[in-house]
Amino acid sequence: MTSTDALPHGEDPREAAREVPSEDPRDDAPQFVLPLVVRIEKAAPPSRTDALQTAARAVLALLSDERATAEDGEWARAVRDWQDARIRKVVRRARGAEWRKAAALPGLTVAGEHAEVRVFPPVPLDGWPKELVKLQVSGTDLDDPGPPAEADPARPVLWLNPDLAMSAGKAMAQAGHGAQLAWWGLDDAARRAWREDGFALSVRTADPARWAALTTSGLPVVRDAGFTEIAPGSCTVVADHPLLRSCHTSL
């Protein structure tokens, strides 16, 4: 399960997400990746939507953690280096002893309704810990037992492109990208409030009739760099946070 994207740090994320240039100066910087591991036990795999939402919340948990935000935080340098290049996320799966080994590494585990996702500080592309590099990237997908409930419009919603077929891992990483764009677009007070609310959010597939309006609404849009599964520049997620939505034309 893998996904990557190209989103710069330090500029308006709504503008940054509009275009993925064919030649990007960020490619000259050292490249890092944010590892995420989803727990998938054979007897009780999580639902797809639960896994996507939990992965997005895990990204937010790391971005807001003092180890990442404090100037002298133990993860701060790695997070800065990661955000100064392309924003890459890779999702792998684990169960049993593999999960226990992954959980022993420095990181954060976030629980959803049934899903568990552990996020780790960024690592160089070729510098994965041995406990993680052995984990499978693909081969397992996830399903929902039924249609997800309606999203709460008073809370953030990450809208998925209805025209793209993505594996669970790819979609988890894209949801993480969308959550990160929303986070970058908020002020400190809004970030604190979201954190205090447990980073509540929904991930839903957009109505095809509404997708074009979402992508042109001014809300943050994730455009994939095209390293895996889908074509470069594809719009994958629109990050619809109420405080960002209020700044733009109603849909």
Side-chain angles (χ1 to χ4, degrees):
M1 298 178 178
T2 182
S3 183
T4 54
D5 197 34
L7 302 172
H9 180 53
E11 60 184 89
D12 186 336
R14 288 177 289 275
E15 293 300 321
R18 293 185 192 282
E19 182 178 2
V20 179
S22 57
E23 294 184 7
D24 196 306
R26 287 168 291 148
D27 290 336
D28 295 330
Q31 299 296 306
F32 289 77
V33 61
L34 187 76
L36 297 105
V37 175
V38 56
R39 184 177 186 180
I40 302 181
E41 301 290 347
K42 281 185 177 180
S47 71
R48 182 183 175 96
T49 295
D50 189 15
L52 268 58
Q53 293 174 169
T54 306
R57 290 174 51 237
V59 171
L60 294 168
L62 181 130
L63 291 174
S64 65
D65 192 281
E66 286 189 358
R67 288 167 288 184
T69 60
E71 187 173 346
D72 59 350
E74 62 182 290
W75 299 345
R77 177 61 184 272
V79 170
R80 285 196 299 270
D81 289 345
W82 169 60
Q83 293 186 134
D84 283 343
R86 288 187 183 269
I87 303 301
R88 300 173 184 254
K89 300 178 181 74
V90 171
V91 179
R92 300 192 175 204
R93 58 185 171 88
R95 64 173 180 262
E98 294 174 332
W99 172 257
R100 291 190 291 274
K101 289 179 181 178
L105 296 176
L108 294 164
T109 297
V110 174
E113 185 176 353
H114 298 289
E116 288 182 80
V117 175
R118 189 162 181 85
V119 60
F120 305 87
V123 298
L125 280 179
D126 58 355
W128 283 68
K130 64 181 187 328
E131 294 88 350
L132 302 183
V133 76
K134 297 177 181 178
L135 300 178
Q136 294 296 311
V137 177
S138 60
T140 297
D141 214 333
L142 301 171
D143 297 307
D144 284 317
E150 289 281 335
D152 182 352
R155 283 176 161 164
V157 183
L158 304 176
W159 295 106
L160 301 176
N161 187 334
D163 299 321
L164 291 178
M166 294 185 282
S167 67
K170 179 77 171 180
M172 288 172 69
Q174 297 299 309
H177 293 330
Q180 187 167 358
L181 281 183
W183 181 255
W184 283 350
L186 299 173
D187 61 24
D188 289 342
R191 290 177 177 182
R192 280 195 302 273
W194 200 5
R195 185 177 185 179
E196 290 168 1
D197 196 29
F199 295 120
L201 56 82
S202 300
V203 179
R204 297 290 187 271
T205 299
D207 185 320
R210 190 168 177 249
W211 178 247
L214 281 168
T215 60
T216 57
S217 65
L219 291 167
V221 179
V222 178
R223 291 185 184 270
D224 192 67
F227 294 118
T228 62
E229 294 194 26
I230 57 180
S234 298
C235 298
T236 58
V237 178
V238 173
D240 183 8
H241 189 290
L243 293 180
L244 301 179
R245 184 192 314 148
S246 63
C247 300
H248 302 289
T249 304
S250 298
L251 297 172

